[in-house]
Every structure is written in C-alpha cells, then in structure tokens.
Amino acid sequence: MKIFKEIRAYLMITLGLLLYTGGWVVFLIPNHLVGGGVSGIGVLVYYATGFPVSYTFFAINAVLLLIALKVLGKGFGIKTVYGIVMAALCFQFLPQWIPADLIRELAVENGKLLATLIGGIMGGVGVGLTFSQGGSTGGTDIIALIINKYRNISIGRLILSIDVVIISCSFFTSEETNLGLRLATVLYGFILIGVTGYTIDLMIAGTKQSLQLFIFSKKYEQIADRLTNEMNRGVTLISGAGWYTKTERKILMVIVRRTEANTVYRIIKEEDRDAFLSVGSVMGVYGRGFDRFA
C-alpha cells in the first residue's frame, strides 16, 4: 500500500540522515576536519566561534529553501523540508547521545586520514540513501540549482566549485599552527568530498547499473536457451552479416544486471569458447525484470 511505502521511505531517509550526521559528529568534527556543503559551512563557523553546527545548518538551509521556493517554484517537497529539519536535529542531539570516550577511541586515536575515509563513506551512504527515497539535505544543491537557472553552468561543476571554496577556507580556521598541517587539513577535505561523491554514485547508480551484451556465436541457440531458462532474461536475436566473410550470422543481444555478468560469461564459456562477446555498461534500464517507470 502507498502509506506503507511512504513510511518506509521516511524511515530510510531518517537512517540516511543519521549516517550522514554521524559521520560528521563521530569522525570529522572531533578531528577538526572540514567537508563541503552547508554542513561544511556550519563546521567552519563552529571552529571559528563555537556556534553550534545545528543552528547554522538549519538557518542557512531555511533561507535557501525560502529562496528556492520563490525562484524555482514548489519543486522542493516535504521530504526536503523533513531532511533539513531532521539533519539539524541530528547535529544537535547526536553529540549528546554518543559517549565522548567512544568518539575518541574510534576517530581521534586512529588518525585524521582514517577518520576522513570513514566519515566520507558514512556521509556518502547516508546521502545516497536519502536521495534514493526522494529526500534531500538541501544545502549547496539549492544554490547550484538557483545559479543554473540564470547561467548555463553544469550543476555538478557548481557544487564542486562551492565545496572547493568551503574546504579552502579551512586553512584559516584550522587549529594547527604549522603551515604544513594547515595545508594537510585542506587536503583531507578534498579527499573527503572525493570519497563522499564516489560513495553516493555507488549507492545511487551502482545497484542499478546493467550490462548490454552482444554475443556472436555459432551456438547461439544453445546460449539463448540457457540465458532464458537459467537466468530468466529475455534474449533478442539479430540477423547480421560479416563484411569480410560476406556470410550471414546470428547475434544475440541481452541486458543483465552487472551482478549477473559472471553467470552469463560462464554459460557462454561452457557452450562456445570461440564466441565473440561485446560488453557495454548501460544506465536506466526500465521494464520487466529491471526498474519501473516512476
């Protein structure tokens, strides 16, 4: 039922926000590290003044949300509002719920590089979960969309540029007095946004990525039967002709999940070791056995 799907979506968004803010609270902030987005701005303000991250995060996002509703229309739904409010609450209360000794043992004593990697992965998984359910943490995404409406600039490039500026500012707020250590803090920030971005891509696209295979084999009938019967995948038979040999031959075309590729390779290998195979990555496969149209 639709109500249960919505409840599940909000539960997944909540879990994603807990992971996202947990990465900041447990691994990044205790190590005086800075990442991108409004969270990064909130952390910079916190390092410089001691003003709580949750207040800065909520205030900036509230202003951006009001501007977005005015400039972009009502495209930002209730899930975005929920995401902003919930993330702000997590920033406020998670530090009180997680023991300081645990944070010190997990993050501080293991060094900044490990904290950067784990914090980035947690943030990426959290944002990926939130995005997959139609939610959002707002932030620099809104700024990029507003600018993109008036300037023909890539949204991804805008977000990256904003994050680079935010992280570069950590050079001036770092608690380190040594110039090299200040530069290292900036470098950790760049590593962080790289890890986070890569993890988000894996979360959103990795599980949905599929492969399109063209199989050239004299034993096309046997291979097609096994792909259909053993994998329950549709196979398309295409008639073609080799330009060099001037002979007609049959070509099989099949689309499978990336996780099913090894099974396809095994079937082809067992049936015809001399088969010729072309494999390409495809995104957004819709229909029976794959994703449904939204």
Side-chain angles (χ1 to χ4, degrees):
M1 294 178 64
K2 189 174 181 179
I3 183 66
F4 292 114
K5 290 181 67 175
E6 284 297 303
I7 292 173
R8 179 183 178 277
Y10 277 97
L11 288 175
M12 295 300 290
I13 290 173
T14 303
L15 175 60
L17 295 171
L18 284 171
L19 287 171
Y20 172 72
T21 54
W24 279 96
V25 169
V26 176
F27 292 97
L28 303 180
I29 296 176
N31 281 288
H32 217 84
L33 296 169
V34 177
V38 171
S39 301
I41 297 174
V43 167
L44 285 174
V45 174
Y46 171 72
Y47 293 156
T49 66
F51 193 70
V53 177
S54 58
Y55 294 168
T56 305
F57 180 90
F58 181 78
I60 294 175
N61 271 302
V63 172
L64 290 175
L65 189 60
L66 290 174
I67 295 173
L69 290 173
K70 177 75 173 179
V71 176
L72 303 175
K74 298 181 179 180
F76 286 81
I78 189 65
K79 288 181 180 178
T80 298
V81 177
Y82 175 81
I84 291 171
V85 173
M86 182 57 65
L89 290 174
C90 289
F91 273 121
Q92 179 67 26
F93 294 109
L94 276 184
Q96 304 173 23
W97 296 339
I98 302 175
D101 291 342
L102 179 63
I103 294 176
R104 186 180 66 255
E105 293 173 3
L106 283 177
V108 179
E109 294 181 359
N110 286 312
K112 290 188 175 183
L113 179 58
L114 186 61
T116 299
L117 296 175
I118 297 177
I121 292 171
M122 287 182 64
V125 171
V127 172
L129 276 176
T130 303
F131 283 173
S132 69
Q133 301 300 318
S136 171
T137 56
T140 51
D141 297 359
I142 299 176
I143 299 175
L145 287 170
I146 293 173
I147 296 175
N148 179 257
K149 181 175 180 179
Y150 299 101
R151 293 288 186 274
N152 187 24
I153 305 174
S154 165
I155 292 177
R157 186 177 299 175
L158 283 169
I159 293 173
L160 179 61
S161 300
I162 295 169
D163 287 347
V164 167
V165 171
I166 294 170
I167 291 169
S168 298
C169 290
S170 66
F171 178 83
F172 303 101
T173 61
S174 175
E175 62 182 0
E176 304 291 350
T177 56
N178 182 279
L179 178 62
L181 294 177
R182 284 175 175 267
L183 290 173
T185 300
V186 176
L187 179 60
Y188 286 133
F190 292 149
I191 294 173
L192 176 63
I193 60 174
V195 172
T196 302
Y198 182 72
T199 306
I200 292 172
D201 287 343
L202 286 180
M203 285 294 299
I204 295 177
T207 56
K208 295 184 178 180
Q209 197 167 36
S210 301
L211 298 177
Q212 185 179 63
L213 299 94
F214 288 95
I215 305 165
F216 302 78
S217 172
K218 294 180 179 179
K219 298 183 179 180
Y220 63 89
E221 292 182 347
Q222 296 92 319
I223 294 173
D225 286 340
R226 291 191 61 180
L227 292 175
T228 302
N229 296 327
E230 297 179 22
M231 300 185 63
N232 197 31
R233 286 298 184 192
V235 180
T236 300
L237 183 63
I238 303 172
S239 296
W243 185 253
Y244 179 75
T245 61
K246 301 297 191 296
T247 58
E248 293 188 0
R249 62 187 312 171
K250 300 297 184 182
I251 306 163
L252 302 178
M253 191 276 285
V254 61
I255 297 177
V256 298
R257 295 288 192 190
R258 182 174 289 276
T259 54
E260 299 173 315
N262 287 333
T263 304
V264 177
Y265 299 152
R266 176 180 56 80
I267 291 173
I268 296 172
K269 182 180 179 180
E270 290 174 356
E271 293 295 336
D272 184 5
R273 286 180 172 270
D274 296 323
F276 183 84
L277 183 64
S278 172
V279 183
S281 296
V282 293
M283 296 294 296
V285 181
Y286 299 93
R288 185 174 181 182
F290 292 92
D291 299 324
R292 293 184 178 182
F293 289 102

